[in-house]
Amino acid sequence: MRKFNIRKVLDGLTAVSSAASASSSAQQQQAGNRETEIQETLQSEHFQLCKTVRHGFPYQPSALAFDPVQKILAIGTQTGALRLFGRPGVECYCQHDSGAAVIQLQFLINEGALVSALADDTLHLWNLRQKRPAILHSLKFNRERITFCHLPFQSKWLYVGTERGNIHIVNVESFTLSGYVIMWNKAIELSSKSHPGPIVHISDNPMDEGKLLIGFESGTVVLWDLKSKKADYRYTHDEAIHSVAWHHEGKQFICSHSDGTLTIWNVKSPTKPFQTITPHGKQLKDGKKPEPCKPILKVEYKTTRAGEPFIILSGGLSYDTVGRRPCLTVMHGKSTAVLEMDYSIVDFLTLCETPYPNDFQEPYAVVVLLEKDLVLIDLAQNGYPIFENPYPLTIHESPVTCCEYFADCPVDLIPALYSVGARQKRQGYSKKEWPISGGNWGLITQSYPEIIITGHADGSIKFWDASAITLQVLYKLKTAKVFEKSRNKDDRPNTDIVDEDPYAIQIISWCPESRMLCIAGVSAHVIIYRFSKQEVTTEVIPMLEVRLLYEINDIESPDGEQVPPLPTPGTGSNPQSIVPQSHPSTSSSSSDGLRDNVPCLKVKNSPLKQSPGYQIELVIQLVWVSGEPPQQITSLAVNSAYGLVVFGNCNGIAMVDYLQKTVLLNLGTIELYGSNDPYRREPRSPRKSRQPSGAGLCDINEGTTVPEDRCKSPTSDVKDNSFSRSRSSSVTSIDKESREAISALHFCETFTRKNDTSPSPCLWVGTTLGTVLVIVLNLPPGGEQRLLQPVIVSPSGTILRLKGAILRMAFLDTTGSLVPPAHEPWREHNVPEDKDEKDKSKKRRPVSVSPSSSQEISENQYAVICSEKQAKVISLPSQNCLYKQNITETSFVLRGDIVSLSNSICLACFCANGHIMTFSLPSLRPLLDVYYLPLTNMRIARTFCFTNNGQALYLVSPTEIQRLTYSQETCENLQEMLGELFTPVETPEAPNRGFFKGLFGGGAQSLDREELFGESASGKASRSLAQHIPGPGGIEGVKGAASGVVGELARARLALDERGQKLGELEEKTAAMLYSADSFSKHAHEMMLKYKDKKWYQF
C-alpha cells in the first residue's frame, strides 16, 4: 500500500488553493476596472443538503405487513430498507443502519408502532407516530438465529422463534426478554430422536390465548399450553411445513407442505389430518396419491359469515408446468381461481374487515408482494380484478437509462400532459377505492410545478408530475413504434450496433415552454417530437440519414470565417428539392462488400397513427460508413425559436433544420477548428499503415495542425477485416478514448466574436478536450420566409479553453440574471391557422428573455462554462476570463447545472468522489461542499441531475428515485410537507360472545400474560442471550411528532414523557436506564390512567 506524506499533501493543497485564489483575485482585480459589479445575494446559509423523499418500488423486497385498523402497509427489503405506504401520496422511507435483510415485519395494530426482525438476528421497535419514523429500541440475539415472530393483537408480548427450535418472549414495552422460554426438547415427543428443525410458525388459538400453536420445519406441529408449560397435542406429518393458519373458531388449522399439499387438522385429533388437498395435483385413477407438486410457500384460511371460507395460497404448481408464471391460488367453496403473476411472489397478505382473529374474517382483498411489483386483488368482485395502483411503482417497468428534472415549469404543462396521458389508462380494474388508505397528507408549501422525465431501455419515455414531493405518472411515449421490429433473433437486421435494447434512450433534450422534445437513442438515432392535442395519421414518416465521419475531408477551408463545405446535399434554396424520401435508396454496401450508408434501425414505411401527445416531426439516423458502425451520440440540443436540432459524437457534429428537413452542418470535430486547431493530429487513415493497437491513430500533442495532416477522403475503404461487425472492434479503444467528442451544446443569443456590437443567434459547442467553439447562425425572417430561405451556418473563429471535458454552458446578462435560450411559445400545430394568426406568426419574434439584449454596452454578457475539472466566467464580447474556479483536482465533475435558487442563480456540481458543491455566479465563490454519496455505480452517474429551487435527484436503485434538496428553506419546510403515517382511529369493538357461549363457557378465553411472562413469575432471562440497545428515536425523536394533526394532544403527551424522563433520571442516575422495564412500567401505568389503553411508545 502506498504511503502518503500527509504534510506534503496538505502543503500541496494549501499551495494549490492559495495559487488559485491569488490568480482568481488577480483576474478579478484586473477585470474590476471594466466590469460593473454584480450584487450577489446567495450566501452559504441559503444551502443545506438533505434527502427529501424516495419514490418507486422497494428494491429487492423481502417482507410485508399490514395494519388493518390504521390501513398502513409496510414493506421490508434485502438491504434493510423499510417503506411505509398509506393513502396515495403518503409514503415513507426508513433504513436500518446495519443494512441486513428484513425477514419479518409485525405491526402493533393501531398503536403507531412496528417491529422488524432482521437477518442479523436483531429486533427493532419503530415509532410511526412521527413524520420520520425512528427506532425506539433494538434487541440483538447473540446465541440463536431468529426465524419467526408473532405478536398477538392487543398484546405486549412478542413470541420469537429461532433456528434451534426454541421460543423466547420479548416485552415490546421495555424490549427485554422474559424468563419464560419454550425449549424444543420439551415441546416435541420425548421418544423423538431427531431435532424438529427451526420454528416456521407461531400463533395463538383464536379462541384461547393460553394455547400456542408451534410449527417446526420438519413437519411437527405442537399445541402448547402456556399455563401448564406442556404440550397438549402433537401433530406429525411426513412432509416439511412452510406455513400454518387457523380457522377463526379455533377448532381447525391448515398447514402447507413442501410436496404441494395442504393438510387440515382438527385440534383434538392429532393422529391424522382431517383432510389432505393437493390444489394443483393431477388426480390419478385407482385412488392413488396425486403426483407431488412444488412447495406451497404460504397459506391463509379466511372465513365469511355468508358463505364458504377462502383458502389462499402461493406456489404448489405441478412440476410439469414448465415456464408457467408464478401463481396465487384462491379456493372459495368449489371454485379454484389461479391468478398468474408477472414476477415471483415474495409474500402475500389477505386484508380482512376485522383485526380480531376470533371473529369471521370477511376478507375483501389480497396484497401480493412480487419481486418487482405490488398487486392488490379484489376478492369481492367476480373474476377477482386487480385494483389500479395509485403509487408510482412503475419507474422500472423498463430499466431507466437516463432522466431529467425540471422545476418551475410553465403552469399549463402538467394539465396538458395529464389530459393526453389519461387516454392511455388500462381498463378492467376494480371499481372500488384503493384499500390502503391510512395517514394524512402534509402541507403543500411549494406551489411550483415540477416534472421528471425518465428515458427507458425499451425506448419509452415517461413524464411524471413531481410537484410538492409527490410523484405521479402523467404520460408515456413509446419512441420505438416508429421503427420496424424484428420478430425473432434471426430476423434482426445485421446493422444493429447493440445486441439488446436497440431503442434505449440515451439523451433527452426538452424545451418546456415550446414543448418540443428531442431524444437520442443508443442506435445513433435522433427523433424530434412536437406536442399536439389532436390525433393525426402520418402517411410518410419524415426522415434524414447523416454520414458523420472522423476522417478529414479533402477540402480545406482557407478562412475560418467562411461557410464550411457541406458534404450532405440539402443547402439549396428550393426546399422542395430536399424533402427526403421516406426510405432513401442508399447502397447497403460499398464496392468491396462492406456495410455502407445504412442506418442501424429501419423506419416503418406504412402510415403511422399518432395519438394526442408527442408526435414525430423528424427521424434522423447516423449511417454505417465503410464497414464502421455509427458512434453513439454524446450530446444533443434542440431550439424551437430557430427550428434547429444539433447533435454530436466522437466523430463530429451535425446540425439539422427540422422545419425544412435539411442537414445544415456535418463536420468532423477537427474540421470545426478550421485553421485554429491547437492540437497536432494525424487523421486516421485505414488505407495506410494501420496499427492494430490503435496507437497513433489520433495523437494529441500541443502544436498546430499541418495542412498535410488533414487530407483524407470521406470515402476511404477499410480493407482490414478487424473493422467489421462487432462494436468493440469498430474503433479500437485507445482511438475511441483519444478522439475528441462533442460533450456539450448550447443555443443562445450572444456575442460571437470579440468585436461584435450586438448579440446574434449562435451555437456554443463544448468538446471532451475542454475546447469551446462558437458557430454563428444566420436565420431567415419568420413566417413563410423561414421555410423558403436556407439557414446559413458558419464558424466564428472563437475558441475558448478549459481543463477537462465541457459539461454545461449558460449565459448571464449585465445584472447577473440567467439568459435562457430563445424559444417559441407552444401552439397547436395540427389545426389550420386563420388569417389573423398567420399575420401574428409572421410578426412573431422568438421569445428571448434577456433584459439586456437591447442594450448596446461594450461588456454586457457573461458566459458560464463548467467542465469536469473547473468553471470559468467569461465576459462577452471581450472574452476576458473574469473568474475561474478549480472545482476538483483529484476527481471529476459528473454533472454540473446552472440553476436558480432564492431569486438568484448558482452553479451546482456533483463529483465522482461523492461531493455536492455549489458556487455563486458570476464570482464562483464556493457556497456548499458536502460529501454526500460515493459513485458506486454508473446508474448514479447516468441519472444524477440538479434543477431549480434547490432540487436534485438520482436513481438510487434500479427501481427507485431518491430526491434531495440543497436549499436550506426546503430543508426547514420538509417536516411540514411530509405526510403523517399515524392518525388516531378507534379500535373496532371486540366480537360479541353471545348469551349461550357466555353461559356455557364457550367463546374466546383470555390469558393474563403478565402473570405468566412477567419477571415475578418467570424470573430474568439469561443476559448473554440477547443485548438491549436503546434506539436514537427516543424522547428527542418524538418531539418532531408534536407538530402534527394531533398537536395539542401530542404536546400534552410530550410533557408527560419529559416528566417521566426526569423521574427516570433521578431514579436511575443515567439516561440510558430510561429504557429499562421498571421505570417504564411505572411510566406506562401513569399514561394508561390518563389515556386508557394508550401505551408509552405511541407518543
Side-chain angles (χ1 to χ4, degrees), residues 325-340:
R325 292 193 295 181
C327 293
L328 186 85
T329 307
V330 180
M331 300 168 72
H332 185 221
K334 291 181 179 174
S335 78
T336 300
V338 181
L339 309 175
E340 286 198 341

Side-chain angles (χ1 to χ4, degrees), residues 141-182:
F141 279 72
N142 296 322
R143 296 194 309 228
E144 296 194 49
R145 308 223 62 180
I146 299 170
T147 55
F148 193 89
C149 299
H150 170 62
L151 180 69
F153 180 43
Q154 294 181 321
S155 162
K156 69 173 186 181
W157 299 95
L158 173 76
Y159 301 106
V160 181
T162 69
E163 200 172 42
R164 288 189 185 175
N166 303 325
I167 293 177
H168 301 279
I169 297 162
V170 175
N171 180 336
V172 288
E173 285 184 357
S174 59
F175 240 55
T176 52
L177 277 173
S178 160
Y180 192 115
V181 184
I182 302 170

